């Protein structure tokens, strides 16, 4: 595998905190929800989150940001330790600390503290920008991009630079390779840059895509940047270089906590542009990464572990917990699902009918190679996940890297573990484990004559010669 290019992130770090609890009543003295059993979790926010996510991709990441001696700055240093190299700018004031209060996973309230700003650039920070091979500016309007603007302008001429803007922040420097506003941000910037008739609002009923295209065209001209990708939430993103825009749809609709999805999008795009990918390739991958981020639990992923340390996607685990909590039945099925075919679909549809949700435990690429040989998988894990998630009968997908899914099953603890009927029950190593928590192993009918191996063999055969005399 080609080594991933290092990435320098310039921007404003924040400290984010979530206080989660249960809500089942209103307070007697005011019509406000009562949050009980509150649990608090902190995570890096702003540019620090973007840097953390880029490091989670296996990159060497340097974050140039303003930090001070306050408690929030110390917390961010601890959260990034061991994963992100820090180049610190002097901070005037206390680092911003944002606390969300959530009940039943829905935001109820946000508390903001700290108004700290970057005071000035340092020679180390300037040298870091000059040496960068790829740059991401995560501008949250707290001065980091402002004090390094001259260096960023020079860098944009020679290396790919992605700018994730903020309404309170700086305009991107001319020559920026890709700017990544949300639809709401793009509309706000466009209104400011081309007020009145110059900023045409799309006609009623024309939809989000037409408005995003109009706004992106305004930003492209006004800012002098190479391309703009307007992020559209669960729809995907719209990319324009000034001609006909490219719509990149999300493969699946991911419903969940979208906090940080914009940082996930920008970090993915910036890393791939540093790897010399085309903007179209970078935006497609960024849409997929942001969708997966939301589907797997969003901010909860960041709050529960360091890069690479999350043992199972929280989306699958939390789904299992929610279904159990309401008295439902959790079903799970596993396999390689390489070249998804009718036999697979029949098995998964049958498995889904055994419970109130179906979680698919998917062999990683390395696990498939160990089981099937060096020529497999034919389809990499990211694409296999995408196809499985597109099936109506599948509620979540979790990848495991071992020979068998026992570790993952131990986390999910399904009531039903479904396998195809071509397995003998006694040969399943998971049987004893599943039964240890009162679960049940079920064999389901398997469609005869369908297998990935036979499909691959038939595809590899040369076509049969045409009968003599046929036209």
């Amino acid at each position: 595998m080609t080594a991933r290019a290092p990435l320098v992130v310039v921007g404003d770090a924040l400290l984010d905190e979530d206080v989660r609890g249960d809500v089942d009543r209103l307070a007697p003295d005011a019509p406000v929800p009562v949050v009980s059993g509150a649990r608090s979790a902190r995570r890096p926010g702003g540019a620090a989150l973007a840097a953390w996510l880029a490091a989670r991709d296996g990159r060497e990441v340097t974050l140039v940001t303003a930090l001070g001696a306050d408690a929030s700055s110390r917390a961010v240093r601890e959260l990034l330790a061991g994963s992100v190299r820090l180049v610190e700018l002097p901070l005037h004031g206390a680092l911003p600390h944002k606390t969300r209060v959530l009940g039943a996973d829905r935001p109820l309230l946000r508390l903001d503290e700290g108004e700290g700003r970057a005071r000035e650039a340092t020679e180390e920070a300037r040298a870091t920008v000059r040496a960068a091979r790829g740059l991401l500016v995560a501008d949250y309007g707290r001065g980091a991009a402002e004090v390094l603007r001259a260096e960023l302008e020079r860098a944009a001429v020679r290396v790919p630079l992605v700018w994730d803007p903020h309404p309170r922040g700086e305009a991107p420097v001319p020559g920026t390779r890709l700017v990544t506003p949300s639809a709401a941000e793009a509309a706000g910037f466009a209104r400011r840059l081309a007020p009145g008739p110059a900023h045409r609002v799309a006609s009623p009923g024309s939809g989000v895509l037409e408005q995003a295209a109009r706004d992106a065209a305004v930003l492209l001209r006004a800012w002098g940047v190479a391309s703009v990708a307007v992020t559209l939430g669960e729809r995907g993103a719209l990319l324009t270089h000034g001609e006909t825009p490219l719509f990149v749809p999300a493969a699946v609709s991911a419903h969940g906590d979208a906090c940080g999805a914009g940082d996930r999008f920008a970090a993915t795009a910036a890393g791939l542009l540093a790897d010399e990918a085309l903007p179209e390739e970078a935006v497609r991958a960024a849409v997929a990464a942001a969708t997966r981020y939301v589907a797997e639990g969003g901010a909860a992923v960041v709050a529960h572990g360091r890069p690479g340390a999350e043992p199972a996607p929280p989306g699958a685990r939390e789904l299992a917990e929610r279904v159990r909590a309401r008295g439902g039945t959790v079903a799970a099925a596993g396999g390689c699902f390489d070249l998804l075919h009718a036999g697979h679909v029949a098995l998964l549809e049958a498995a889904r009918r055994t419970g109130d949700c179906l979680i698919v435990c998917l062999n990683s690429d390395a696990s498939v190679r160990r089981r099937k040989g060096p020529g497999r998988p034919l389809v990499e894990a990211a694409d296999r996940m995408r196809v499985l998630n597109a099936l109506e009968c599948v509620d979540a997908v979790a990848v495991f890297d071992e020979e068998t899914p026992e570790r993952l099953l131990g986390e999910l603890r399904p009531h039903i573990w479904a396998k195809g009927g071509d397995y003998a029950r006694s040969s399943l190593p998971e049987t004893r484990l599943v039964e240890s928590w009162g679960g049940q192993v079920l064999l389901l009918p398997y469609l005869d004559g369908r297998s990935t191996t036979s499909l691959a063999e038939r595809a590899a055969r040369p076509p049969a010669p045409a009968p003599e005399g046929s036209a």
Side-chain angles (χ1 to χ4, degrees):
M1 186 173 116
T2 305
R4 294 178 174 176
L7 185 67
V8 173
V9 179
V10 175
D12 309 295
L14 314 171
L15 176 63
D16 286 346
E17 184 170 2
D18 283 349
V19 178
R20 296 175 182 269
D22 301 317
V23 174
D24 54 16
R25 61 190 176 94
L26 295 177
D29 54 340
V32 296
V34 175
V35 179
S36 58
R39 307 170 299 282
S40 177
R42 289 180 167 186
R43 63 181 186 278
L49 175 58
W52 190 94
L53 291 167
R56 194 170 187 252
D57 294 336
R59 293 186 187 279
E60 176 189 327
V61 179
T62 300
L63 172 61
V64 181
T65 193
L67 294 171
D70 57 284
S72 296
S73 293
R74 291 196 298 272
V76 168
R77 289 189 189 96
E78 291 172 5
L79 289 166
L80 297 179
S83 58
V84 174
R85 173 178 171 254
L86 284 171
V87 173
E88 297 188 17
L89 303 169
L91 178 71
H92 177 71
L95 192 78
H97 177 190
K98 301 181 182 298
T99 303
R100 295 190 306 168
V101 179
L102 300 97
D105 291 328
R106 293 178 180 270
L108 303 174
L109 178 71
R110 198 179 93 176
L111 307 173
D112 288 5
E113 304 173 78
E115 293 293 333
R117 291 182 58 85
R119 191 168 66 236
E120 60 188 2
T122 64
E123 183 50 40
E124 183 185 12
R126 294 189 188 97
T128 300
V129 174
R130 286 196 297 267
R133 290 168 52 188
L135 277 160
L136 167 61
V137 175
D139 184 9
Y140 279 76
R142 300 288 178 174
E146 182 181 347
V147 300
L148 286 165
R149 190 170 183 85
E151 291 296 341
L152 292 169
E153 287 180 353
R154 287 189 283 270
V157 176
R158 59 178 181 80
V159 298
L161 189 156
V162 173
W163 195 293
D164 193 17
H166 189 281
R168 295 172 58 183
E170 294 280 294
V173 297
T176 293
R177 185 78 57 88
L178 179 67
V179 185
T180 62
S182 68
E185 290 167 345
F189 291 131
R191 281 194 295 271
R192 293 208 309 253
L193 293 165
H199 175 236
R200 293 186 300 154
V201 176
S203 59
S206 59
V208 174
L209 292 177
E210 184 178 343
Q211 187 64 58
R214 292 180 187 275
D215 295 335
V218 171
L219 303 184
L220 201 70
R221 292 191 299 270
W223 285 339
V225 298
S227 56
V228 175
V230 179
T231 57
L232 304 168
E234 65 180 32
R235 288 172 178 257
L238 186 126
L239 171 67
T240 183
H241 307 291
E243 301 296 332
T244 304
L246 172 70
F247 175 52
V248 181
V252 295
S253 293
H255 303 284
D257 186 359
C259 180
D263 298 293
R264 174 69 280 182
F265 182 96
T268 301
L272 289 173
L273 289 178
D275 292 340
E276 301 183 349
L278 296 173
E280 291 81 358
E281 296 172 316
V283 170
R284 281 199 299 269
V287 167
T291 301
R292 187 166 57 249
Y293 171 88
V294 174
E296 292 181 351
V301 175
V302 185
H304 287 94
R306 297 188 182 280
E310 193 64 26
R317 189 169 53 248
E318 290 177 1
L319 171 65
E321 290 173 355
R322 287 197 303 271
V323 171
R324 267 196 301 271
R326 63 173 185 256
T329 298
V330 178
C336 302
F337 298 102
D338 202 6
L339 285 186
L340 192 75
H341 53 71
H344 291 142
V345 174
L347 171 69
L348 294 172
E349 287 176 336
R352 179 62 175 82
R353 287 193 286 272
T354 69
D356 298 294
C357 73
L358 175 62
I359 299 170
V360 176
C361 301
L362 183 69
N363 291 79
S364 70
D365 291 345
S367 177
V368 175
R369 277 192 294 274
R370 289 194 298 269
R371 291 189 58 192
K372 304 288 187 178
R376 301 280 296 275
L378 301 171
V379 179
E380 65 179 20
D383 288 344
R384 289 184 282 133
M385 284 185 69
R386 177 174 177 174
V387 172
L388 287 166
N389 274 313
L391 297 178
E392 187 176 356
C393 59
V394 174
D395 297 287
V397 181
V399 177
F400 64 93
D401 198 46
E402 301 83 4
E403 297 296 325
T404 66
E406 291 175 86
R407 177 192 59 79
L408 181 56
L409 287 173
E411 296 176 23
L412 300 175
R413 298 174 70 84
H415 300 92
I416 303 292
W417 175 237
K419 297 293 289 186
D422 54 346
Y423 284 87
R425 188 174 188 271
S426 59
S427 70
L428 287 175
E430 310 95 89
T431 299
R432 183 175 297 178
L433 174 68
V434 173
E435 291 178 346
S436 71
W437 57 73
Q440 181 182 12
V441 176
L442 286 179
L443 296 182
L444 300 175
Y446 200 82
L447 292 181
D448 290 337
R450 279 83 167 182
S451 78
T452 299
T453 302
S454 63
L455 282 174
E457 287 173 351
R458 287 203 301 274
R461 290 177 198 152
E468 263 186 61
S470 63

